[in-house]
């Protein structure tokens, strides 16, 4: 009887440890900016929120061989864009990837990105415990002049893992 009780406690402890290591990351309102013919790059935007401390460490897309995480920063009155290795996702706080801030750059596009189509993305998340997760996102493409907050509120592309 005592052996069964101890085994149950150990099992519950292992389940608890496993659930602590899994961050639940929610992706809201993903979208990609449309391009004109011949344009080689575009941006992807969305809001990310994690239940636990985590990081966005990478992105893949079948649309391009090169997808990077970027940020826009002011440098002596000049707005500059630079690649960052990751974006921290603090537990319980939404992090917005939007024009003029953190965003995903899709470079070396294989084709023009047209408004009304969708772009598949795979977000690579790393938990505070070092575990890797992949989140599949289908991002609708908005017109070239679209800005953050002009999105659809119909739930397209929302994913949680």
């Amino acid at each position: 009887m005592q052996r069964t009780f101890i085994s149950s406690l150990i099992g519950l402890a292992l389940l608890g440890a496993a659930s602590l290591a899994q961050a639940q990351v929610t992706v809201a309102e993903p979208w990609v900016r449309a391009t004109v013919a011949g344009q080689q790059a575009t941006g992807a935007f969305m809001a990310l929120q994690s239940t636990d401390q985590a990081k966005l460490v990478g992105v893949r897309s079948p649309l391009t061989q090169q997808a990077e995480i970027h940020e826009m920063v002011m440098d002596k009155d000049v707005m500059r864009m630079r690649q960052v290795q990751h974006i921290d996702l603090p537990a319980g706080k939404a992090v917005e990837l939007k024009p003029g801030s953190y965003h995903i750059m899709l470079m070396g596009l294989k084709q023009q990105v047209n408004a009304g189509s969708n772009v598949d993305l795979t977000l690579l998340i790393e938990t505070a415990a070092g575990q890797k997760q992949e989140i599949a996102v289908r991002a609708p493409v908005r017109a070239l002049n679209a800005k953050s907050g002009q999105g659809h509120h119909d739930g397209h592309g929302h994913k949680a893992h």
Side-chain angles (χ1 to χ4, degrees), residues 24 30 36 53 55 57 66 84:
Q24 178 88 12
V36 296
Q53 189 72 24
K55 297 186 281 190
V57 296
Q66 189 174 5
V84 295

Short mmCIF file of all heavy atoms in Angstrom, two decimals, residues 24 30 36 53 55 57 66 84:
data_model
loop_
_atom_site.label_atom_id
_atom_site.label_comp_id
_atom_site.label_asym_id
_atom_site.label_seq_id
_atom_site.Cartn_x
_atom_site.Cartn_y
_atom_site.Cartn_z
N GLN A 24 2.80 27.40 -22.86
CA GLN A 24 1.65 27.49 -23.75
C GLN A 24 1.75 28.83 -24.46
O GLN A 24 1.57 29.87 -23.83
CB GLN A 24 0.36 27.39 -22.94
CG GLN A 24 -0.90 27.50 -23.73
CD GLN A 24 -1.38 26.15 -24.25
OE1 GLN A 24 -0.89 25.13 -23.83
NE2 GLN A 24 -2.31 26.17 -25.16
N PRO A 30 -1.98 36.94 -36.69
CA PRO A 30 -0.81 36.94 -37.58
C PRO A 30 -1.18 37.51 -38.94
O PRO A 30 -2.31 37.35 -39.40
CB PRO A 30 -0.45 35.46 -37.67
CG PRO A 30 -1.76 34.76 -37.50
CD PRO A 30 -2.55 35.61 -36.52
N VAL A 36 4.97 43.82 -54.09
CA VAL A 36 4.79 44.13 -55.51
C VAL A 36 5.70 43.19 -56.30
O VAL A 36 6.61 42.58 -55.74
CB VAL A 36 5.14 45.61 -55.82
CG1 VAL A 36 4.18 46.54 -55.11
CG2 VAL A 36 6.57 45.92 -55.45
N GLN A 53 7.77 31.69 -19.00
CA GLN A 53 8.90 32.36 -19.63
C GLN A 53 9.36 31.54 -20.83
O GLN A 53 9.59 30.33 -20.71
CB GLN A 53 10.04 32.50 -18.61
CG GLN A 53 11.17 33.36 -19.06
CD GLN A 53 10.81 34.83 -19.09
OE1 GLN A 53 9.92 35.27 -18.40
NE2 GLN A 53 11.51 35.59 -19.90
N LYS A 55 11.07 32.05 -25.29
CA LYS A 55 11.68 32.95 -26.27
C LYS A 55 11.28 32.50 -27.67
O LYS A 55 11.21 31.30 -27.93
CB LYS A 55 13.21 32.91 -26.19
CG LYS A 55 13.80 33.38 -24.89
CD LYS A 55 15.31 33.45 -24.95
CE LYS A 55 15.93 32.09 -24.79
NZ LYS A 55 17.39 32.13 -24.59
N VAL A 57 12.85 32.01 -30.96
CA VAL A 57 14.26 31.88 -31.36
C VAL A 57 14.46 31.67 -32.86
O VAL A 57 15.59 31.68 -33.33
CB VAL A 57 14.96 30.75 -30.57
CG1 VAL A 57 15.01 31.06 -29.09
CG2 VAL A 57 14.29 29.41 -30.82
N GLN A 66 15.14 32.20 -46.21
CA GLN A 66 15.71 33.02 -45.15
C GLN A 66 14.60 33.79 -44.42
O GLN A 66 13.97 34.68 -45.00
CB GLN A 66 16.72 34.00 -45.73
CG GLN A 66 17.53 34.73 -44.70
CD GLN A 66 18.61 35.58 -45.35
OE1 GLN A 66 18.71 35.68 -46.57
NE2 GLN A 66 19.42 36.19 -44.53
N VAL A 84 17.85 40.21 -34.57
CA VAL A 84 18.07 39.83 -33.17
C VAL A 84 18.02 38.30 -33.10
O VAL A 84 17.40 37.65 -33.93
CB VAL A 84 17.03 40.47 -32.22
CG1 VAL A 84 17.17 41.98 -32.20
CG2 VAL A 84 15.61 40.07 -32.59
#
